Amino acid sequence: MKSKPLAAALTLVLGAGYAATALAQVKPEILVKQRQAKMVLQAKYFGPLAAMAQGKAPYDAKVVARNAGYLDVLTEMAWDGYDPSTKDVKSRTLPVAYTNADKFKQAQRQLETAVDQLVVAAKGGDEAKVKAAVGAVGKACGSCHDDFWEN
Amino acid sequence: MKSKPLAAALTLVLGAGYAATALAQVKPEILVKQRQAKMVLQAKYFGPLAAMAQGKAPYDAKVVARNAGYLDVLTEMAWDGYDPSTKDVKSRTLPVAYTNADKFKQAQRQLETAVDQLVVAAKGGDEAKVKAAVGAVGKACGSCHDDFWEN
C-alpha cells in the first residue's frame, strides 16, 4: 500500500473533477450512470427474491431479510438522477418522466411503499406473505417501467 | 399502467433469463456490471463528503448522516461479484484480486471498518471527527485501488 495524500487518492477513486463538483451541478451523464447503477443493484438483490416467489429457487429467509433491507435503502437512492438536465442523455427513460414529474414521483412512492411492506413481511417471517410482498414489488417495478421506460 | 403477469413484468425489469438464474450461477459479465454499479454509487455518496472534508463544500450534517448510512450498506454489497469466474471479463480489477483473495478481503475489511467509524462519527455530530473519518474512508478506498485496480 503506497501512501498518497487524500486529494490524490480521491481523484483516483472518484475521477478527476468529481470531488470538486460534488455539491455543485453533477454532469447529466454522471447522473444517468448513477441512476442506472442503482437499477443494476436493485435487480441484483430483487432477482433472487423473484425466483423464490416464482418457485424457481428454494425459499431462503436469510437472503430474503438481507435483500429486503438492501432494496429498502437502494429504493431511496439516486432519484435525484432524473434531473431535467438529463433529458437529452441517451437512456431508456421516456420523456414523460421529465414532463410529468408528479406521475413519476407517484410511481416512485408506489415502489417505496411496496418495498416497505416487503421489509415488514420479511421481519414477520411468514413465507406466503413474503412471496405476496415480493409480487407487489415486482408489480411496482413493472408498472413504472411500463410507463416511463422504453421497452 | 398496464396490467401484466408478474413473470412478464420481471422479465421486463430484470432481463430475460435473469430471474431464472437468480440463485444459480450469475454470468460473469453481470457480476462485473453489478460490482461496478456498487462503485458508482459509492462515489455518488462519498463524493460530497470528500468535498466537505477538503473544505470544497460547506459542511452539511444532514447529508453526512444520510450518505454515511448509504455507504455503510453499499460497502456490504457485491463483493461476491469478484468471483474467480470474472477474471477474464474486461475491467480495471487487477489479477491479484483473484490470486491473492486474502489480501483483497483484508482491504475490504479495512474499508468496512473505516465506514463503520464514519457512521459512528456522523452520529456523534463532531465535525472535525467526521472529517477525519471521511479522510480514513478515502484512504481505504485509495489503498485498495492502488493494490487491486488498474490506474
Side-chain angles (χ1 to χ4, degrees):
Chain A
M1 168 184 157
K2 288 161 259 166
S3 174
K4 231 171 231 188
L6 178 59
L10 290 175
T11 302
L12 171 75
V13 175
L14 301 174
Y18 191 95
T21 61
L23 287 187
Q25 188 62 45
V26 177
K27 280 187 190 156
E29 292 75 15
I30 292 179
L31 289 174
V32 170
K33 203 176 159 189
Q34 291 168 340
R35 67 193 201 199
Q36 289 173 338
K38 162 255 205 23
M39 295 273 174
V40 167
L41 290 175
Q42 283 174 314
K44 176 178 173 68
Y45 292 108
F46 185 63
L49 306 190
M52 290 179 207
Q54 294 173 324
K56 289 179 181 166
Y59 188 76
D60 184 332
K62 234 171 130 176
V63 171
V64 167
R66 187 200 65 174
N67 289 19
Y70 285 173
L71 289 168
D72 193 29
V73 178
L74 287 167
T75 301
E76 290 178 15
M77 289 185 192
W79 294 115
D80 57 348
Y82 294 92
D83 189 82
S85 68
T86 62
K87 72 179 170 44
D88 297 324
V89 179
K90 195 175 146 53
S91 85
R92 289 171 79 177
T93 302
L94 295 173
V96 67
Y98 309 107
T99 55
N100 196 341
D102 283 351
K103 194 182 169 194
F104 189 41
K105 279 213 175 81
Q106 207 183 326
Q108 292 166 24
R109 293 286 122 70
Q110 213 176 346
L111 177 63
E112 284 161 6
T113 304
V115 172
D116 284 348
Q117 286 165 355
L118 173 62
V119 170
V120 171
K123 282 185 183 148
D126 179 322
E127 186 177 326
K129 281 185 187 162
V130 166
K131 288 182 174 178
V134 168
V137 171
K139 268 187 194 158
C141 296
S143 78
C144 189
H145 279 235
D146 273 350
D147 289 339
F148 299 102
W149 207 55
E150 196 181 291
N151 290 314
Chain B
M1 166 185 159
K2 285 161 262 164
S3 174
K4 231 172 232 188
L6 177 61
L10 290 174
T11 302
L12 172 77
V13 174
L14 302 173
Y18 190 94
T21 60
L23 287 187
Q25 188 62 45
V26 177
K27 280 188 189 155
E29 293 74 16
I30 291 180
L31 290 174
V32 170
K33 204 176 157 188
Q34 291 168 340
R35 68 194 202 199
Q36 289 173 338
K38 163 255 205 27
M39 295 274 174
V40 166
L41 290 175
Q42 283 173 314
K44 175 177 174 69
Y45 293 107
F46 185 64
L49 307 189
M52 291 179 206
Q54 294 173 324
K56 289 180 180 166
Y59 188 76
D60 184 331
K62 235 171 127 175
V63 172
V64 167
R66 188 199 63 171
N67 289 19
Y70 286 172
L71 290 168
D72 193 28
V73 178
L74 287 167
T75 301
E76 290 178 15
M77 289 184 192
W79 294 115
D80 56 350
Y82 293 92
D83 188 82
S85 67
T86 64
K87 73 180 172 37
D88 298 323
V89 178
K90 195 177 147 51
S91 85
R92 290 169 79 176
T93 302
L94 294 174
V96 66
Y98 308 107
T99 56
N100 196 341
D102 283 351
K103 195 181 168 195
F104 189 41
K105 280 216 173 80
Q106 206 183 328
Q108 294 167 20
R109 296 284 123 72
Q110 212 177 346
L111 177 63
E112 285 161 5
T113 304
V115 172
D116 284 348
Q117 285 166 354
L118 173 61
V119 171
V120 170
K123 281 184 183 151
D126 179 321
E127 186 176 327
K129 281 185 188 162
V130 166
K131 288 181 175 179
V134 168
V137 171
K139 266 187 196 158
C141 294
S143 79
C144 189
H145 280 236
D146 273 350
D147 289 339
F148 299 101
W149 207 55
E150 194 181 293
N151 289 316

